[in-house]
Amino acid sequence: MKRAFDHVGLWATAPQPGEFWVEFSKVWVTNPRAHPQRIEYLRPLEKPDVPPEQVGLWKLWNRPHVAYRVDHLQEWLQGKELIFGPFDPGGFGQVAFTLEDGLVVEYMEYYDLSHWFGQPNPAGWAPEEY
């Protein structure tokens, strides 16, 4: 099994330049490939009211996440606490969120790295090797 760093996701309350709509999760997201530190900003249409007792879901909607590109999503999810997904956010792969050691982790199995939500990658962008 292989994985490589993809991005860090941070919540935003104001619209961000270049946002894309993700229908499944009802959030706008930015392209981390266009950010020098690989940051993805997420902004929900409406933040769900998740009680803190639902630790994983609460952290998903209230804390940052780290994302990894993986070669086989289902293998990476085995034995982990799944909190959201898997789903296809924008026609380029499957993603799922887990809770690991108190941190929200997103695993992404791409089947198309040529775009982000239908938009071409920024000039000079290339995926990191596994």
Side-chain angles (χ1 to χ4, degrees):
M1 294 190 321
K2 298 177 183 177
R3 76 175 183 175
F5 173 75
D6 196 82
H7 67 267
V8 171
L10 302 175
W11 289 104
T13 56
Q16 301 294 308
E19 290 179 324
F20 299 91
W21 177 248
V22 181
E23 180 64 29
F24 182 83
S25 55
K26 305 290 189 218
V27 298
W28 285 275
V29 300
T30 62
N31 184 348
R33 299 172 186 172
H35 192 282
Q37 282 79 41
R38 303 284 289 272
I39 294 175
E40 169 194 49
Y41 290 99
L42 305 100
R43 185 172 60 89
L45 177 64
E46 290 184 29
K47 186 176 169 186
D49 186 19
V50 179
E53 296 80 34
Q54 294 179 343
V55 175
L57 269 180
W58 187 89
K59 285 186 175 186
L60 176 64
W61 289 100
N62 290 281
R63 296 288 183 258
H65 69 266
V66 63
Y68 295 100
R69 180 171 46 91
V70 298
D71 54 351
H72 299 289
L73 180 62
Q74 290 303 319
E75 290 179 25
W76 279 95
L77 297 179
Q78 289 180 10
K80 298 200 172 43
E81 182 181 343
L82 184 66
I83 55 177
F84 197 67
F87 65 99
D88 181 341
F92 50 77
Q94 292 286 312
V95 304
F97 292 86
T98 64
L99 185 63
E100 300 177 39
D101 298 317
L103 174 69
V104 176
V105 178
E106 179 181 17
Y107 291 102
M108 311 179 78
E109 181 181 346
Y110 289 98
Y111 45 76
D112 186 352
L113 280 167
S114 69
H115 65 91
W116 180 267
F117 291 91
Q119 300 296 313
N121 291 317
W125 181 87
E128 297 194 18
E129 294 296 320
Y130 286 116

